[in-house]
Amino acid sequence: MLIVVGIGGWPSRPDPAELRRTFMKRRVVSLLVLVALMASVAFAHGDKKHVMGTLEKINADSVVVKQADGKSVEVKLVSGTMYVSRDGKPAKLSDLAVGDRVVIHATPNPDSTLSADEIKFSAAGTTGAAKPQQ
Amino acid sequence: MKRGNLILLLVVVAVGLAVAAGASILHNGLSARATPTALEAMIARNARRLAIPANARNEHNPISASDETLKEARAHFADHCATCHGNDGRGDTMYGKGLYPKPPDLRLPETQKLSDGELFWIIENGVRFTGMPAFGGGSHSSRDDSWKLVLFLRHLPQLTMQERLEMERQNPKGPGDREEDQEEQDFLRGEPVQQKHAPEHHH
């Protein structure tokens, strides 16, 4: 309950208009907090996975990537998988080699596996100079 | 069966269905992540068809396809449409998958069999009760842009990988996306991994 203290320090009766303003302010602040929370949640959304590491194994229908934390992740290759060289040019599966650095944008499947949407790669030993296409 | 009994039976069935639907909604909620049922999709398609005036349906594209117009439309699509439809028109995007109804796969016959006039009208006027906004600005150049987009929609089933990669560079990107791109390029250049983005949060 809001108690308004007058100049003399004695409690006075709450002014209904002041009470309304206070409640309105609280509502506005609550709404702003809610909107801020929703915005921060929205930034964290998106179901795509991002796999970065070194190619450990290349199978006919999947690749295994060793990540920086030492864990290996298998990513399935599908008909829509795009292969892109470091300079932004289209490539194909046969251009990949064990030891290449790869960045894979993948879609999680209901069975917890990953399917590659796009595999960007740079051949082992060719890292350095080249710039992406503008 | 007497007429009165038949009406009573129909009322009981209707009430039963309504109760079942209500219970299902109360139990499961109404999430936009769901896929519309075949009945809803059929009703929505017909509603969309009825929303397009007959004279608009028969309009012909005044702009002819050329490398230049397609390039322009591709860039326009990458900038304005791909956020929901995806560069390849499949709709497999964060926003596309979260809409109800989902954007259709623009490469498939359900879209490709629409006339040029219908596609143009949808771009200009949007589709009510969906995520498709009306892009028509009323000006001559705005109409031209929409007609060029119609040309691009016709080209979508033959979109090449080179074109898709070019579109990726034209997609709108926020600071987080640009930072993520930079991290990827740095990594591919041989620099050590300094991943600031959690892998599961890739958009």
Side-chain angles (χ1 to χ4, degrees), chain B residues 87-120:
Chain B
N87 287 328
D88 58 2
R90 280 193 303 146
D92 183 22
T93 66
M94 183 179 75
Y95 295 110
K97 286 195 287 193
L99 286 171
Y100 193 95
K102 319 293 171 210
D105 186 334
L106 301 174
R107 305 166 306 170
L108 298 182
E110 281 76 22
T111 297
Q112 292 294 326
K113 73 185 177 190
L114 295 174
S115 71
D116 282 359
E118 285 173 316
L119 292 173
F120 173 79

PDB file of all heavy atoms in Angstrom, chain B residues 87-120:
ATOM      1  N   ASN B  87      16.508 -18.327 -49.846  1.00  0.00           N
ATOM      2  CA  ASN B  87      17.006 -17.948 -51.180  1.00  0.00           C
ATOM      3  C   ASN B  87      16.513 -18.899 -52.266  1.00  0.00           C
ATOM      4  O   ASN B  87      16.315 -18.505 -53.401  1.00  0.00           O
ATOM      5  CB  ASN B  87      18.538 -17.936 -51.181  1.00  0.00           C
ATOM      6  CG  ASN B  87      19.082 -16.750 -50.410  1.00  0.00           C
ATOM      7  OD1 ASN B  87      18.466 -15.688 -50.385  1.00  0.00           O
ATOM      8  ND2 ASN B  87      20.217 -16.918 -49.765  1.00  0.00           N
ATOM      9  N   ASP B  88      16.329 -20.164 -51.883  1.00  0.00           N
ATOM     10  CA  ASP B  88      15.903 -21.151 -52.887  1.00  0.00           C
ATOM     11  C   ASP B  88      14.386 -21.295 -52.953  1.00  0.00           C
ATOM     12  O   ASP B  88      13.871 -22.115 -53.709  1.00  0.00           O
ATOM     13  CB  ASP B  88      16.555 -22.508 -52.610  1.00  0.00           C
ATOM     14  CG  ASP B  88      16.210 -23.039 -51.219  1.00  0.00           C
ATOM     15  OD1 ASP B  88      15.436 -22.374 -50.496  1.00  0.00           O
ATOM     16  OD2 ASP B  88      16.718 -24.115 -50.862  1.00  0.00           O
ATOM     17  N   GLY B  89      13.655 -20.521 -52.134  1.00  0.00           N
ATOM     18  CA  GLY B  89      12.182 -20.528 -52.204  1.00  0.00           C
ATOM     19  C   GLY B  89      11.531 -21.663 -51.436  1.00  0.00           C
ATOM     20  O   GLY B  89      10.311 -21.816 -51.457  1.00  0.00           O
ATOM     21  N   ARG B  90      12.338 -22.479 -50.731  1.00  0.00           N
ATOM     22  CA  ARG B  90      11.755 -23.630 -50.028  1.00  0.00           C
ATOM     23  C   ARG B  90      11.046 -23.235 -48.737  1.00  0.00           C
ATOM     24  O   ARG B  90      10.265 -24.005 -48.189  1.00  0.00           O
ATOM     25  CB  ARG B  90      12.849 -24.646 -49.666  1.00  0.00           C
ATOM     26  CG  ARG B  90      13.251 -25.532 -50.824  1.00  0.00           C
ATOM     27  CD  ARG B  90      14.087 -26.708 -50.321  1.00  0.00           C
ATOM     28  NE  ARG B  90      15.253 -26.280 -49.592  1.00  0.00           N
ATOM     29  CZ  ARG B  90      15.772 -26.934 -48.546  1.00  0.00           C
ATOM     30  NH1 ARG B  90      15.201 -28.024 -48.093  1.00  0.00           N
ATOM     31  NH2 ARG B  90      16.851 -26.484 -47.959  1.00  0.00           N
ATOM     32  N   GLY B  91      11.388 -22.073 -48.195  1.00  0.00           N
ATOM     33  CA  GLY B  91      10.765 -21.630 -46.936  1.00  0.00           C
ATOM     34  C   GLY B  91      11.411 -22.253 -45.714  1.00  0.00           C
ATOM     35  O   GLY B  91      10.872 -22.151 -44.612  1.00  0.00           O
ATOM     36  N   ASP B  92      12.578 -22.871 -45.899  1.00  0.00           N
ATOM     37  CA  ASP B  92      13.249 -23.540 -44.780  1.00  0.00           C
ATOM     38  C   ASP B  92      14.113 -22.530 -44.025  1.00  0.00           C
ATOM     39  O   ASP B  92      15.339 -22.586 -44.052  1.00  0.00           O
ATOM     40  CB  ASP B  92      14.105 -24.700 -45.318  1.00  0.00           C
ATOM     41  CG  ASP B  92      14.774 -25.469 -44.197  1.00  0.00           C
ATOM     42  OD1 ASP B  92      14.277 -25.398 -43.052  1.00  0.00           O
ATOM     43  OD2 ASP B  92      15.800 -26.127 -44.458  1.00  0.00           O
ATOM     44  N   THR B  93      13.457 -21.579 -43.389  1.00  0.00           N
ATOM     45  CA  THR B  93      14.164 -20.543 -42.642  1.00  0.00           C
ATOM     46  C   THR B  93      13.573 -20.453 -41.242  1.00  0.00           C
ATOM     47  O   THR B  93      12.478 -20.984 -40.989  1.00  0.00           O
ATOM     48  CB  THR B  93      14.004 -19.162 -43.303  1.00  0.00           C
ATOM     49  OG1 THR B  93      12.618 -18.783 -43.204  1.00  0.00           O
ATOM     50  CG2 THR B  93      14.421 -19.167 -44.764  1.00  0.00           C
ATOM     51  N   MET B  94      14.282 -19.773 -40.339  1.00  0.00           N
ATOM     52  CA  MET B  94      13.796 -19.655 -38.963  1.00  0.00           C
ATOM     53  C   MET B  94      12.394 -19.033 -38.940  1.00  0.00           C
ATOM     54  O   MET B  94      11.492 -19.520 -38.271  1.00  0.00           O
ATOM     55  CB  MET B  94      14.764 -18.794 -38.161  1.00  0.00           C
ATOM     56  CG  MET B  94      14.391 -18.660 -36.710  1.00  0.00           C
ATOM     57  SD  MET B  94      15.554 -17.673 -35.795  1.00  0.00           S
ATOM     58  CE  MET B  94      15.154 -16.034 -36.344  1.00  0.00           C
ATOM     59  N   TYR B  95      12.209 -17.947 -39.695  1.00  0.00           N
ATOM     60  CA  TYR B  95      10.907 -17.274 -39.704  1.00  0.00           C
ATOM     61  C   TYR B  95       9.864 -18.104 -40.453  1.00  0.00           C
ATOM     62  O   TYR B  95       8.721 -18.217 -40.029  1.00  0.00           O
ATOM     63  CB  TYR B  95      11.017 -15.885 -40.336  1.00  0.00           C
ATOM     64  CG  TYR B  95      11.880 -14.953 -39.521  1.00  0.00           C
ATOM     65  CD1 TYR B  95      13.123 -14.548 -39.973  1.00  0.00           C
ATOM     66  CD2 TYR B  95      11.453 -14.499 -38.281  1.00  0.00           C
ATOM     67  CE1 TYR B  95      13.926 -13.705 -39.214  1.00  0.00           C
ATOM     68  CE2 TYR B  95      12.242 -13.661 -37.511  1.00  0.00           C
ATOM     69  CZ  TYR B  95      13.483 -13.259 -37.986  1.00  0.00           C
ATOM     70  OH  TYR B  95      14.267 -12.447 -37.219  1.00  0.00           O
ATOM     71  N   GLY B  96      10.283 -18.665 -41.587  1.00  0.00           N
ATOM     72  CA  GLY B  96       9.351 -19.450 -42.402  1.00  0.00           C
ATOM     73  C   GLY B  96       8.771 -20.616 -41.627  1.00  0.00           C
ATOM     74  O   GLY B  96       7.562 -20.862 -41.655  1.00  0.00           O
ATOM     75  N   LYS B  97       9.641 -21.304 -40.889  1.00  0.00           N
ATOM     76  CA  LYS B  97       9.177 -22.482 -40.161  1.00  0.00           C
ATOM     77  C   LYS B  97       8.329 -22.116 -38.949  1.00  0.00           C
ATOM     78  O   LYS B  97       7.603 -22.941 -38.428  1.00  0.00           O
ATOM     79  CB  LYS B  97      10.375 -23.330 -39.732  1.00  0.00           C
ATOM     80  CG  LYS B  97      10.981 -24.068 -40.919  1.00  0.00           C
ATOM     81  CD  LYS B  97      11.913 -25.169 -40.497  1.00  0.00           C
ATOM     82  CE  LYS B  97      13.203 -24.615 -39.961  1.00  0.00           C
ATOM     83  NZ  LYS B  97      14.244 -25.646 -39.821  1.00  0.00           N
ATOM     84  N   GLY B  98       8.420 -20.841 -38.523  1.00  0.00           N
ATOM     85  CA  GLY B  98       7.645 -20.421 -37.356  1.00  0.00           C
ATOM     86  C   GLY B  98       6.311 -19.795 -37.714  1.00  0.00           C
ATOM     87  O   GLY B  98       5.558 -19.416 -36.822  1.00  0.00           O
ATOM     88  N   LEU B  99       6.042 -19.658 -39.001  1.00  0.00           N
ATOM     89  CA  LEU B  99       4.777 -19.040 -39.404  1.00  0.00           C
ATOM     90  C   LEU B  99       3.659 -20.079 -39.509  1.00  0.00           C
ATOM     91  O   LEU B  99       3.919 -21.264 -39.686  1.00  0.00           O
ATOM     92  CB  LEU B  99       4.940 -18.352 -40.774  1.00  0.00           C
ATOM     93  CG  LEU B  99       5.729 -17.048 -40.794  1.00  0.00           C
ATOM     94  CD1 LEU B  99       5.992 -16.620 -42.230  1.00  0.00           C
ATOM     95  CD2 LEU B  99       4.977 -15.954 -40.052  1.00  0.00           C
ATOM     96  N   TYR B 100       2.419 -19.596 -39.391  1.00  0.00           N
ATOM     97  CA  TYR B 100       1.261 -20.470 -39.575  1.00  0.00           C
ATOM     98  C   TYR B 100       0.227 -19.713 -40.406  1.00  0.00           C
ATOM     99  O   TYR B 100      -0.306 -18.733 -39.925  1.00  0.00           O
ATOM    100  CB  TYR B 100       0.670 -20.846 -38.223  1.00  0.00           C
ATOM    101  CG  TYR B 100      -0.329 -21.973 -38.296  1.00  0.00           C
ATOM    102  CD1 TYR B 100       0.051 -23.281 -38.075  1.00  0.00           C
ATOM    103  CD2 TYR B 100      -1.662 -21.715 -38.620  1.00  0.00           C
ATOM    104  CE1 TYR B 100      -0.865 -24.313 -38.147  1.00  0.00           C
ATOM    105  CE2 TYR B 100      -2.576 -22.747 -38.702  1.00  0.00           C
ATOM    106  CZ  TYR B 100      -2.174 -24.043 -38.447  1.00  0.00           C
ATOM    107  OH  TYR B 100      -3.075 -25.069 -38.531  1.00  0.00           O
ATOM    108  N   PRO B 101      -0.002 -20.128 -41.626  1.00  0.00           N
ATOM    109  CA  PRO B 101       0.594 -21.272 -42.312  1.00  0.00           C
ATOM    110  C   PRO B 101       2.034 -21.001 -42.726  1.00  0.00           C
ATOM    111  O   PRO B 101       2.447 -19.837 -42.800  1.00  0.00           O
ATOM    112  CB  PRO B 101      -0.306 -21.430 -43.557  1.00  0.00           C
ATOM    113  CG  PRO B 101      -0.812 -20.056 -43.814  1.00  0.00           C
ATOM    114  CD  PRO B 101      -0.978 -19.427 -42.461  1.00  0.00           C
ATOM    115  N   LYS B 102       2.801 -22.071 -43.014  1.00  0.00           N
ATOM    116  CA  LYS B 102       4.183 -21.917 -43.474  1.00  0.00           C
ATOM    117  C   LYS B 102       4.173 -21.358 -44.891  1.00  0.00           C
ATOM    118  O   LYS B 102       3.245 -21.625 -45.658  1.00  0.00           O
ATOM    119  CB  LYS B 102       4.912 -23.278 -43.501  1.00  0.00           C
ATOM    120  CG  LYS B 102       4.634 -24.189 -42.334  1.00  0.00           C
ATOM    121  CD  LYS B 102       5.177 -23.649 -41.053  1.00  0.00           C
ATOM    122  CE  LYS B 102       4.693 -24.477 -39.873  1.00  0.00           C
ATOM    123  NZ  LYS B 102       4.577 -23.682 -38.638  1.00  0.00           N
ATOM    124  N   PRO B 103       5.220 -20.619 -45.249  1.00  0.00           N
ATOM    125  CA  PRO B 103       5.302 -20.184 -46.652  1.00  0.00           C
ATOM    126  C   PRO B 103       5.410 -21.424 -47.544  1.00  0.00           C
ATOM    127  O   PRO B 103       6.100 -22.381 -47.173  1.00  0.00           O
ATOM    128  CB  PRO B 103       6.607 -19.379 -46.709  1.00  0.00           C
ATOM    129  CG  PRO B 103       7.094 -19.242 -45.319  1.00  0.00           C
ATOM    130  CD  PRO B 103       6.378 -20.226 -44.456  1.00  0.00           C
ATOM    131  N   PRO B 104       4.741 -21.419 -48.678  1.00  0.00           N
ATOM    132  CA  PRO B 104       4.806 -22.606 -49.542  1.00  0.00           C
ATOM    133  C   PRO B 104       6.182 -22.741 -50.191  1.00  0.00           C
ATOM    134  O   PRO B 104       6.911 -21.754 -50.292  1.00  0.00           O
ATOM    135  CB  PRO B 104       3.739 -22.316 -50.608  1.00  0.00           C
ATOM    136  CG  PRO B 104       3.631 -20.831 -50.646  1.00  0.00           C
ATOM    137  CD  PRO B 104       3.944 -20.348 -49.259  1.00  0.00           C
ATOM    138  N   ASP B 105       6.520 -23.950 -50.604  1.00  0.00           N
ATOM    139  CA  ASP B 105       7.739 -24.140 -51.398  1.00  0.00           C
ATOM    140  C   ASP B 105       7.442 -23.558 -52.780  1.00  0.00           C
ATOM    141  O   ASP B 105       6.635 -24.114 -53.541  1.00  0.00           O
ATOM    142  CB  ASP B 105       8.061 -25.635 -51.491  1.00  0.00           C
ATOM    143  CG  ASP B 105       9.401 -25.884 -52.185  1.00  0.00           C
ATOM    144  OD1 ASP B 105       9.822 -25.024 -52.994  1.00  0.00           O
ATOM    145  OD2 ASP B 105      10.014 -26.929 -51.924  1.00  0.00           O
ATOM    146  N   LEU B 106       8.054 -22.431 -53.069  1.00  0.00           N
ATOM    147  CA  LEU B 106       7.707 -21.681 -54.293  1.00  0.00           C
ATOM    148  C   LEU B 106       8.105 -22.402 -55.577  1.00  0.00           C
ATOM    149  O   LEU B 106       7.670 -22.020 -56.655  1.00  0.00           O
ATOM    150  CB  LEU B 106       8.367 -20.292 -54.257  1.00  0.00           C
ATOM    151  CG  LEU B 106       7.976 -19.413 -53.062  1.00  0.00           C
ATOM    152  CD1 LEU B 106       8.791 -18.126 -53.060  1.00  0.00           C
ATOM    153  CD2 LEU B 106       6.489 -19.105 -53.080  1.00  0.00           C
ATOM    154  N   ARG B 107       8.918 -23.448 -55.441  1.00  0.00           N
ATOM    155  CA  ARG B 107       9.356 -24.176 -56.648  1.00  0.00           C
ATOM    156  C   ARG B 107       8.314 -25.192 -57.103  1.00  0.00           C
ATOM    157  O   ARG B 107       8.364 -25.677 -58.219  1.00  0.00           O
ATOM    158  CB  ARG B 107      10.670 -24.920 -56.363  1.00  0.00           C
ATOM    159  CG  ARG B 107      11.781 -24.021 -55.838  1.00  0.00           C
ATOM    160  CD  ARG B 107      12.908 -24.844 -55.262  1.00  0.00           C
ATOM    161  NE  ARG B 107      12.418 -25.779 -54.261  1.00  0.00           N
ATOM    162  CZ  ARG B 107      13.124 -26.762 -53.718  1.00  0.00           C
ATOM    163  NH1 ARG B 107      14.382 -26.927 -54.057  1.00  0.00           N
ATOM    164  NH2 ARG B 107      12.597 -27.577 -52.810  1.00  0.00           N
ATOM    165  N   LEU B 108       7.384 -25.530 -56.187  1.00  0.00           N
ATOM    166  CA  LEU B 108       6.451 -26.625 -56.471  1.00  0.00           C
ATOM    167  C   LEU B 108       5.236 -26.161 -57.283  1.00  0.00           C
ATOM    168  O   LEU B 108       4.927 -24.963 -57.332  1.00  0.00           O
ATOM    169  CB  LEU B 108       5.998 -27.254 -55.152  1.00  0.00           C
ATOM    170  CG  LEU B 108       7.111 -27.887 -54.312  1.00  0.00           C
ATOM    171  CD1 LEU B 108       6.543 -28.525 -53.054  1.00  0.00           C
ATOM    172  CD2 LEU B 108       7.873 -28.931 -55.129  1.00  0.00           C
ATOM    173  N   PRO B 109       4.541 -27.134 -57.913  1.00  0.00           N
ATOM    174  CA  PRO B 109       3.416 -26.783 -58.782  1.00  0.00           C
ATOM    175  C   PRO B 109       2.339 -25.928 -58.131  1.00  0.00           C
ATOM    176  O   PRO B 109       1.719 -25.103 -58.802  1.00  0.00           O
ATOM    177  CB  PRO B 109       2.847 -28.149 -59.190  1.00  0.00           C
ATOM    178  CG  PRO B 109       3.984 -29.096 -59.054  1.00  0.00           C
ATOM    179  CD  PRO B 109       4.831 -28.571 -57.934  1.00  0.00           C
ATOM    180  N   GLU B 110       2.107 -26.108 -56.795  1.00  0.00           N
ATOM    181  CA  GLU B 110       1.046 -25.321 -56.142  1.00  0.00           C
ATOM    182  C   GLU B 110       1.274 -23.824 -56.360  1.00  0.00           C
ATOM    183  O   GLU B 110       0.321 -23.053 -56.451  1.00  0.00           O
ATOM    184  CB  GLU B 110       1.000 -25.603 -54.628  1.00  0.00           C
ATOM    185  CG  GLU B 110       0.301 -26.876 -54.233  1.00  0.00           C
ATOM    186  CD  GLU B 110       1.145 -28.108 -54.503  1.00  0.00           C
ATOM    187  OE1 GLU B 110       2.385 -27.958 -54.604  1.00  0.00           O
ATOM    188  OE2 GLU B 110       0.577 -29.205 -54.663  1.00  0.00           O
ATOM    189  N   THR B 111       2.532 -23.415 -56.443  1.00  0.00           N
ATOM    190  CA  THR B 111       2.827 -22.009 -56.718  1.00  0.00           C
ATOM    191  C   THR B 111       3.079 -21.784 -58.203  1.00  0.00           C
ATOM    192  O   THR B 111       2.560 -20.828 -58.795  1.00  0.00           O
ATOM    193  CB  THR B 111       4.076 -21.556 -55.919  1.00  0.00           C
ATOM    194  OG1 THR B 111       3.782 -21.659 -54.529  1.00  0.00           O
ATOM    195  CG2 THR B 111       4.449 -20.115 -56.245  1.00  0.00           C
ATOM    196  N   GLN B 112       3.842 -22.673 -58.815  1.00  0.00           N
ATOM    197  CA  GLN B 112       4.237 -22.465 -60.208  1.00  0.00           C
ATOM    198  C   GLN B 112       3.048 -22.504 -61.176  1.00  0.00           C
ATOM    199  O   GLN B 112       3.110 -21.912 -62.254  1.00  0.00           O
ATOM    200  CB  GLN B 112       5.297 -23.502 -60.628  1.00  0.00           C
ATOM    201  CG  GLN B 112       6.647 -23.314 -59.925  1.00  0.00           C
ATOM    202  CD  GLN B 112       7.339 -22.015 -60.328  1.00  0.00           C
ATOM    203  OE1 GLN B 112       7.221 -21.572 -61.469  1.00  0.00           O
ATOM    204  NE2 GLN B 112       8.049 -21.393 -59.399  1.00  0.00           N
ATOM    205  N   LYS B 113       1.972 -23.195 -60.775  1.00  0.00           N
ATOM    206  CA  LYS B 113       0.821 -23.256 -61.691  1.00  0.00           C
ATOM    207  C   LYS B 113      -0.076 -22.013 -61.569  1.00  0.00           C
ATOM    208  O   LYS B 113      -1.023 -21.853 -62.348  1.00  0.00           O
ATOM    209  CB  LYS B 113       0.028 -24.549 -61.487  1.00  0.00           C
ATOM    210  CG  LYS B 113      -0.781 -24.616 -60.238  1.00  0.00           C
ATOM    211  CD  LYS B 113      -1.413 -25.992 -60.106  1.00  0.00           C
ATOM    212  CE  LYS B 113      -2.175 -26.101 -58.798  1.00  0.00           C
ATOM    213  NZ  LYS B 113      -2.618 -27.463 -58.500  1.00  0.00           N
ATOM    214  N   LEU B 114       0.212 -21.142 -60.610  1.00  0.00           N
ATOM    215  CA  LEU B 114      -0.526 -19.867 -60.553  1.00  0.00           C
ATOM    216  C   LEU B 114      -0.133 -19.031 -61.769  1.00  0.00           C
ATOM    217  O   LEU B 114       1.006 -19.112 -62.251  1.00  0.00           O
ATOM    218  CB  LEU B 114      -0.175 -19.102 -59.271  1.00  0.00           C
ATOM    219  CG  LEU B 114      -0.594 -19.731 -57.932  1.00  0.00           C
ATOM    220  CD1 LEU B 114      -0.045 -18.919 -56.770  1.00  0.00           C
ATOM    221  CD2 LEU B 114      -2.103 -19.824 -57.823  1.00  0.00           C
ATOM    222  N   SER B 115      -1.051 -18.222 -62.240  1.00  0.00           N
ATOM    223  CA  SER B 115      -0.729 -17.385 -63.409  1.00  0.00           C
ATOM    224  C   SER B 115       0.196 -16.243 -62.983  1.00  0.00           C
ATOM    225  O   SER B 115       0.313 -15.935 -61.786  1.00  0.00           O
ATOM    226  CB  SER B 115      -2.017 -16.811 -64.007  1.00  0.00           C
ATOM    227  OG  SER B 115      -2.554 -15.836 -63.135  1.00  0.00           O
ATOM    228  N   ASP B 116       0.852 -15.622 -63.967  1.00  0.00           N
ATOM    229  CA  ASP B 116       1.721 -14.475 -63.663  1.00  0.00           C
ATOM    230  C   ASP B 116       0.928 -13.392 -62.926  1.00  0.00           C
ATOM    231  O   ASP B 116       1.414 -12.781 -61.980  1.00  0.00           O
ATOM    232  CB  ASP B 116       2.290 -13.883 -64.962  1.00  0.00           C
ATOM    233  CG  ASP B 116       3.437 -14.720 -65.496  1.00  0.00           C
ATOM    234  OD1 ASP B 116       3.792 -15.729 -64.856  1.00  0.00           O
ATOM    235  OD2 ASP B 116       3.977 -14.373 -66.570  1.00  0.00           O
ATOM    236  N   GLY B 117      -0.311 -13.179 -63.383  1.00  0.00           N
ATOM    237  CA  GLY B 117      -1.160 -12.151 -62.774  1.00  0.00           C
ATOM    238  C   GLY B 117      -1.461 -12.459 -61.311  1.00  0.00           C
ATOM    239  O   GLY B 117      -1.473 -11.566 -60.469  1.00  0.00           O
ATOM    240  N   GLU B 118      -1.688 -13.761 -61.023  1.00  0.00           N
ATOM    241  CA  GLU B 118      -1.975 -14.148 -59.627  1.00  0.00           C
ATOM    242  C   GLU B 118      -0.750 -13.917 -58.739  1.00  0.00           C
ATOM    243  O   GLU B 118      -0.866 -13.399 -57.629  1.00  0.00           O
ATOM    244  CB  GLU B 118      -2.403 -15.622 -59.574  1.00  0.00           C
ATOM    245  CG  GLU B 118      -3.825 -15.835 -60.076  1.00  0.00           C
ATOM    246  CD  GLU B 118      -4.189 -17.304 -60.194  1.00  0.00           C
ATOM    247  OE1 GLU B 118      -3.363 -18.090 -60.708  1.00  0.00           O
ATOM    248  OE2 GLU B 118      -5.302 -17.663 -59.802  1.00  0.00           O
ATOM    249  N   LEU B 119       0.426 -14.321 -59.242  1.00  0.00           N
ATOM    250  CA  LEU B 119       1.655 -14.122 -58.461  1.00  0.00           C
ATOM    251  C   LEU B 119       1.882 -12.628 -58.203  1.00  0.00           C
ATOM    252  O   LEU B 119       2.225 -12.218 -57.092  1.00  0.00           O
ATOM    253  CB  LEU B 119       2.868 -14.720 -59.193  1.00  0.00           C
ATOM    254  CG  LEU B 119       2.889 -16.251 -59.304  1.00  0.00           C
ATOM    255  CD1 LEU B 119       4.050 -16.703 -60.202  1.00  0.00           C
ATOM    256  CD2 LEU B 119       2.995 -16.905 -57.938  1.00  0.00           C
ATOM    257  N   PHE B 120       1.694 -11.832 -59.253  1.00  0.00           N
ATOM    258  CA  PHE B 120       1.878 -10.381 -59.136  1.00  0.00           C
ATOM    259  C   PHE B 120       0.919  -9.810 -58.095  1.00  0.00           C
ATOM    260  O   PHE B 120       1.311  -9.015 -57.234  1.00  0.00           O
ATOM    261  CB  PHE B 120       1.644  -9.725 -60.505  1.00  0.00           C
ATOM    262  CG  PHE B 120       1.654  -8.231 -60.470  1.00  0.00           C
ATOM    263  CD1 PHE B 120       2.850  -7.525 -60.434  1.00  0.00           C
ATOM    264  CD2 PHE B 120       0.461  -7.507 -60.469  1.00  0.00           C
ATOM    265  CE1 PHE B 120       2.853  -6.141 -60.389  1.00  0.00           C
ATOM    266  CE2 PHE B 120       0.464  -6.126 -60.423  1.00  0.00           C
ATOM    267  CZ  PHE B 120       1.664  -5.437 -60.387  1.00  0.00           C
TER     268      PHE B 120
END
